[in-house]
Amino acid sequence: MLQTISILVENKPGALLRVTGVLSARGYNIESLTVAKTLDPQLSRMTIVVDVEDRIRTQVIKQINKLINVLQATDMTEIPSVIRELVLVRVRCGQEARTAVLKEAEIFHSRVVDSSTDGFAIEATGDPEKLDEFIEVMRTYGEIDVARSGAIAMSLETKKLRLQPPVAAPVAVQAT
Amino acid sequence: MQTETGKLMNGAEILLECMAREGVDVFFGYPGGVTLPFYDALYDSHIKHILVRHEENAAFAAGGYARATGKTGVCCATSGPGATNLVTGLVDAMMDSIPVVAITGQVHSKLIGSDAFQEADTFGITRPATKHNFMVKTLAELPQILHEAFYIASSGRPGPVLVDIPKDVFQARGHYVPVGAIHLPGYKVFTEGHAGQIKRAAELIREAERPLVYAGGGIVAAGASAELRELVDLANLPAVTTLMALGALPASHPNYISMPGMHGSYAANMALTECDLLIALGTRFDDRVTGHLPSFARHARVIHVDIDPAEVGKNRTPDIPIVGDVKRVLQKMVKALHETEAELGKTKNGPARQAWLQKINDWKTEFPYDRSRAEGEIKPQHLMDEIDRLSGGQAIVTADVGQHQMWAAQLIRFNEPRLWVNSGGLGAMGFGLPSAIGAQMARPDKLVFSISGDGGFQMSLPELSTIASNQLPIKIIVMNNGVLGMVRQWQTLFYNNRLSSIQLDCFPDAEKLAAAYGFKGRTIDKPWQLAEALEEAVREPGPYLLNVKVTPDENVYPMVPAGGAINEMVMGPAKPVEAGA
Ligand SMILES: Cc1ncc(C[n+]2csc(CCOP(=O)(O)OP(=O)(O)O)c2C)c(N)n1
Ligand SMILES: [Mg+2]
């Protein structure tokens, strides 16, 4: 089953690789991955969708949480959350199909972002399955190009972030 | 001293200042192009540097130093080939949770990414080989990163940390600005353990009829031997210690059983199979211990204490998970046990507990490890038994990997932690000799035996030169069976005795080899020579190489075939013993 993991991570070089390394070292293929800065520019929020065997799902979360740069990793599949994705679809269609395409776009609450003689570019957001359907529908009208953002997720729980307090650095020079 | 820090220094000097503040007295390394500025600064430093003969051995020696003391071991290598040579030693430290800090030089920061001479992506290569790694970009961040590296290596579940430093950072000039605090908000160290769970654990311990302590390397890492002993004595618990924890409970303790697992003792494996409460302390249910996991301790409720939350529930779901420093948790557990005792009187299962201890003692006497000797040849067991006698539970013994390692673990007894040094998780051949260098540097007062097979010895043979030049009085024992013994054993038992690429011909003449390095050596092959030759080696004030030719076709028993249940041990050549028999 697909697992959506939301990760709050320090924005440091190599941090992304450390996280994906936990998955790749176990031979898991990442379905999608998004990452961007948070309100605090020193932190990034990462959302990973990955197909992990059920019996090691918690292990994967624990291993990611163990990374020094990771503040918190949460399995969004287990808790109340919203998961959304954005897709851009360019559909090439003949004059006769234009009205139908626009109608479908409306049904999916999507937005036309470009229109030309050979078709449209349409932007849609929604949960990933809904977007799968949208793409399937658009496909019936002609040749399409697709770019998907990958899922982003937000927890609807109020969970407190547990952070490690600072510790004192060594000050004394050892006697020689 | 604040005054010292006022003077203008270069990055290399600042690095040495940081190392001194971390209490580094000795480290192991090998110089090269980009670390020249560092070695130049080292020229004026009081910190001792041991020039090994291969970087892999710098990492193993740092690990040996750490294993023998609990202090963080430090190694150093140049960029490119120097750094890649360190990798095996880093993974070894990772697998066994050993605190090691590795310093590597990197090419000038302007050249990074240009395939410059001796450039390698050390940061990328060592990411999965370390607990954490850093690349330093500016001199200003060097002290902070270095202190963070030492802190990460030695705290929580210890492990190796690598710091990659470009040449220009070594050369840049600046002031050492003392680092006030280390702030790693995402580095979660859970030490205290859940009070309620600890209380429940104490209740289970009091109620159990067949309790068993299963202690691992975490006890050694936490320095919790005294606490372990208190628990064992207070509740009169029998205990096994894993390959990583030999000596965590004195072998001479009456409640001590021995090592469990693939080559563990009959009593240890049977106790694990039949216990009704398993008290797992700082251990990770490794496959070499558990064998077939669903059969492992199948009648037992499990208390699992570990500092690493990812280990708790990884292989076995515990009834009572306790995430915390095993030393702190044991202190609280002992206290809780005292309280439940006071509250509820002595354990109500007195007779059942006595019967359980008796049963274990019967297993111990009926199926002890084989210490047998032969008439015309030296059996490997005889060799280990003699070393055991000379050590008296007190010497440091480093082992390489293979049959000799298993015989040493079975037959040499340790009465303190940090005496037994071996590559447990990674099983890296070549570990024995360089780790002895680290251990002997750390403990000059101690008698150190380095026991290797004829295969693994030759993997780290160049270190004889390091041993000679530092006059380290290591007793180097080669258990020479003429083959890659452990591989031969598996080929014999599981591959129809089709012996493929295991013959080790042309072993050098030990006397001449040692003489070539300027110390004493000898080869023996008669049982009556053994005790006297070992005594001679121990008497020798300097290093000594003793090549002991042993029976070539001896197998290590008991043996649990890979993936089998641990009560289904093969006890000797074609004489299987089943459980419940
Ligand atoms: C670096 C490395 N390569 C290969 C192995 C696989 N291996 C495990 S034991 C062993 C045989 C070791 O032979 P020797 O050093 O003579 O020790 P013995 O088993 O004979 O005591 C080998 C090849 C290993 N553990 N480490
Ligand atoms: Mg051998």
Side-chain angles (χ1 to χ4, degrees):
Chain A
M1 189 185 129
L2 286 183
Q3 183 181 21
T4 304
I5 310 170
S6 177
I7 301 158
L8 191 60
V9 59
E10 285 182 282
N11 190 2
K12 293 212 166 147
L16 175 65
L17 262 174
R18 291 182 206 279
V19 173
T20 56
V22 169
L23 298 164
S24 64
R26 288 167 177 76
Y28 290 112
N29 195 33
I30 291 170
E31 300 275 330
S32 80
L33 184 154
T34 69
V35 55
K37 274 183 196 167
T38 62
L39 285 176
D40 177 348
Q42 298 193 20
L43 302 179
S44 296
R45 167 76 61 187
M46 215 185 238
T47 310
I48 303 184
V49 179
V50 59
D51 193 0
V52 171
E53 274 169 74
D54 275 350
R55 59 175 187 89
I56 80 148
R57 293 163 71 92
T58 42
Q59 179 60 205
V60 162
I61 296 286
K62 283 178 173 181
Q63 291 291 348
I64 294 174
N65 261 317
K66 220 167 108 170
L67 297 169
I68 311 287
N69 295 142
V70 168
L71 273 63
Q72 191 181 44
T74 320
D75 187 348
M76 302 305 256
T77 344
E78 310 255 284
I79 57 167
S81 62
V82 276
I83 300 178
R84 287 291 179 272
E85 189 176 1
L86 182 146
V87 65
L88 293 172
V89 175
R90 199 171 151 216
V91 53
R92 263 158 282 213
C93 61
Q95 285 297 326
E96 68 295 344
R98 289 182 72 94
T99 336
V101 168
L102 288 175
K103 189 80 203 150
E104 295 284 8
E106 210 181 306
I107 292 169
F108 279 92
H109 301 292
S110 60
R111 243 159 34 97
V112 173
V113 287
D114 185 72
S115 170
S116 66
T117 49
D118 53 325
F120 302 101
I122 307 172
E123 164 197 314
T125 60
D127 72 63
E129 281 107 81
K130 196 95 205 141
L131 296 184
D132 290 343
E133 283 170 37
F134 176 65
I135 291 165
E136 275 314 303
V137 167
M138 283 301 153
R139 213 176 189 158
T140 61
Y141 292 99
E143 234 180 88
I144 61 171
D145 297 325
V146 175
R148 297 178 75 145
S149 65
I152 56 171
M154 176 154 287
S155 158
L156 300 175
E157 269 190 344
T158 38
K159 200 173 162 195
K160 254 188 55 203
L161 188 61
R162 278 177 67 183
L163 296 182
Q164 195 75 6
V167 296
V171 280
V173 183
Q174 286 273 310
T176 56
Chain B
M1 277 184 281
Q2 295 290 107
T3 48
E4 286 264 327
T5 60
K7 71 172 190 258
L8 198 61
M9 296 191 274
N10 69 18
E13 290 164 330
I14 289 175
L15 172 58
L16 285 165
E17 171 79 27
C18 296
M19 286 167 66
R21 279 168 190 261
E22 291 291 348
V24 178
D25 49 4
V26 59
F27 69 115
F28 308 87
Y30 212 96
V34 298
T35 53
L36 277 167
F38 178 58
Y39 279 85
D40 184 62
L42 188 63
Y43 192 85
D44 298 319
S45 172
H46 69 272
I47 299 179
K48 196 169 165 60
H49 177 263
I50 300 293
L51 177 68
V52 291
R53 302 309 192 250
H54 187 292
E55 289 90 347
E56 176 177 299
N57 300 327
F60 283 153
Y65 175 96
R67 287 168 196 258
T69 56
K71 285 170 67 182
T72 301
V74 180
C75 57
C76 173
T78 192
S79 65
T84 56
N85 275 348
L86 283 181
V87 172
T88 305
L90 294 175
V91 180
D92 171 72
M94 185 75 173
M95 291 288 274
D96 286 348
S97 310
I98 304 301
V100 166
V101 168
I103 311 283
T104 49
Q106 183 52 276
V107 299
H108 194 293
S109 50
K110 284 211 183 84
L111 293 176
I112 292 178
S114 72
D115 298 332
F117 177 63
Q118 291 192 327
E119 181 183 1
D121 176 10
T122 304
F123 186 60
I125 291 168
T126 61
R127 180 186 51 72
T130 52
K131 180 174 172 183
H132 195 65
N133 63 1
F134 295 94
M135 189 201 264
V136 180
K137 293 218 192 91
T138 62
L139 179 56
E141 64 184 20
L142 178 66
Q144 182 75 36
I145 285 179
L146 215 83
H147 293 310
E148 284 177 7
F150 274 86
Y151 174 65
I152 293 169
S154 60
S155 58
R157 178 179 183 172
V161 178
L162 180 137
V163 183
D164 198 33
I165 306 175
K167 185 172 190 176
D168 48 305
V169 173
F170 283 129
Q171 291 167 319
R173 298 188 75 77
H175 294 276
Y176 175 82
V177 182
V179 173
I182 290 166
H183 193 203
L184 299 160
Y187 179 47
K188 306 149 203 89
V189 183
F190 307 97
T191 55
E192 292 308 305
H194 190 282
Q197 294 287 67
I198 294 172
K199 188 151 179 283
R200 237 158 288 153
E203 278 157 18
L204 280 192
I205 291 172
R206 206 189 54 82
E207 280 163 20
E209 293 189 356
R210 301 186 306 282
L212 179 70
V213 169
Y214 156 37
I219 294 284
V220 180
S225 283
E227 287 78 5
L228 172 65
R229 191 166 179 171
E230 224 184 319
L231 174 75
V232 162
D233 287 340
L234 177 66
N236 198 12
L237 302 169
V240 299
T241 57
T242 68
L243 181 66
M244 288 308 298
L246 301 182
L249 188 69
S252 56
H253 194 287
N255 289 29
Y256 179 62
I257 307 177
S258 60
M259 171 177 83
M262 181 173 274
H263 293 296
S265 75
Y266 183 83
N269 285 341
M270 291 309 292
L272 280 165
T273 306
E274 295 199 2
C275 66
D276 70 350
L277 178 67
L278 186 65
I279 307 152
L281 305 172
T283 191
R284 59 188 176 89
F285 294 77
D286 176 70
D287 55 276
R288 280 295 197 262
V289 168
T290 65
H292 183 243
L293 200 50
S295 313
F296 180 72
R298 55 178 171 258
H299 309 298
R301 283 192 283 182
V302 174
I303 299 165
H304 191 182
V305 184
D306 203 284
I307 198 159
D308 180 357
E311 287 302 343
V312 178
K314 184 178 84 176
N315 293 339
R316 169 78 175 247
T317 309
D319 300 87
I320 310 229
I322 302 175
V323 176
D325 179 338
V326 71
K327 189 181 177 85
R328 293 289 297 132
V329 171
L330 281 179
Q331 286 165 351
K332 293 181 185 180
M333 206 182 270
V334 164
K335 197 158 162 266
L337 267 171
H338 275 301
E339 279 160 15
T340 51
E341 295 268 290
E343 214 172 286
L344 301 154
K346 280 276 175 219
T347 166
K348 56 180 181 247
N349 300 317
R353 293 276 274 258
Q354 274 311 319
W356 170 237
L357 288 171
Q358 188 54 51
K359 192 169 194 183
I360 289 171
N361 271 329
D362 292 346
W363 284 327
K364 285 205 299 197
T365 31
E366 200 174 342
F367 301 102
Y369 286 130
D370 176 13
R371 290 180 188 267
S372 66
R373 303 175 175 202
E375 275 291 313
E377 53 191 8
I378 303 175
K379 291 188 74 175
Q381 295 88 336
H382 183 187
L383 168 62
M384 300 310 165
D385 197 37
E386 279 299 335
I387 295 173
D388 178 51
R389 183 181 63 81
L390 281 172
S391 158
Q394 298 299 318
I396 291 180
V397 175
T398 77
D400 211 81
V401 173
Q403 288 187 311
H404 66 280
Q405 173 195 23
M406 291 299 114
W407 277 310
Q410 290 181 339
L411 302 175
I412 303 174
R413 286 166 284 207
F414 300 93
N415 287 336
E416 284 167 33
R418 304 202 174 282
L419 296 177
W420 168 247
V421 173
N422 88 136
S423 173
L426 189 64
M429 282 173 72
F431 173 88
L433 202 53
S435 61
I437 295 175
Q440 186 78 81
M441 284 304 304
R443 301 293 308 271
D445 55 313
K446 276 281 181 189
L447 172 60
V448 176
F449 289 102
S450 151
I451 306 178
S452 298
D454 43 337
F457 171 72
Q458 293 183 84
M459 278 202 183
S460 46
L461 189 126
E463 295 309 322
L464 290 180
S465 170
T466 314
I467 290 169
S469 72
N470 291 282
Q471 274 303 299
L472 298 174
I474 299 168
K475 309 310 162 197
I476 307 157
I477 315 293
V478 179
M479 189 202 85
N480 192 334
N481 50 13
V483 286
L484 297 171
M486 190 54 93
V487 178
R488 208 265 309 122
Q489 173 162 350
W490 285 60
Q491 290 178 350
T492 300
L493 298 177
F494 309 113
Y495 291 85
N496 293 319
N497 206 30
R498 285 154 54 90
L499 303 184
S500 176
S501 300
I502 46 105
Q503 209 65 41
L504 291 167
D505 302 326
C506 303
F507 191 83
D509 178 322
E511 193 176 339
K512 286 188 190 153
L513 180 65
Y517 288 104
F519 59 88
K520 278 198 192 144
R522 182 177 169 192
T523 298
I524 57 166
D525 59 358
K526 298 284 177 287
W528 45 264
Q529 294 173 304
L530 184 56
E532 166 259 319
L534 280 167
E535 279 159 22
E536 179 184 320
V538 171
R539 261 198 317 273
E540 175 66 26
Y544 196 102
L545 173 62
L546 184 63
N547 177 30
V548 185
K549 289 194 165 172
V550 299
T551 327
D553 49 9
E554 195 72 22
N555 289 333
V556 187
Y557 296 110
M559 178 173 196
V560 178
I566 57 167
N567 58 315
E568 285 160 14
M569 287 160 273
V570 182
M571 295 301 289
K575 214 176 49 182
V577 174
E578 298 293 324

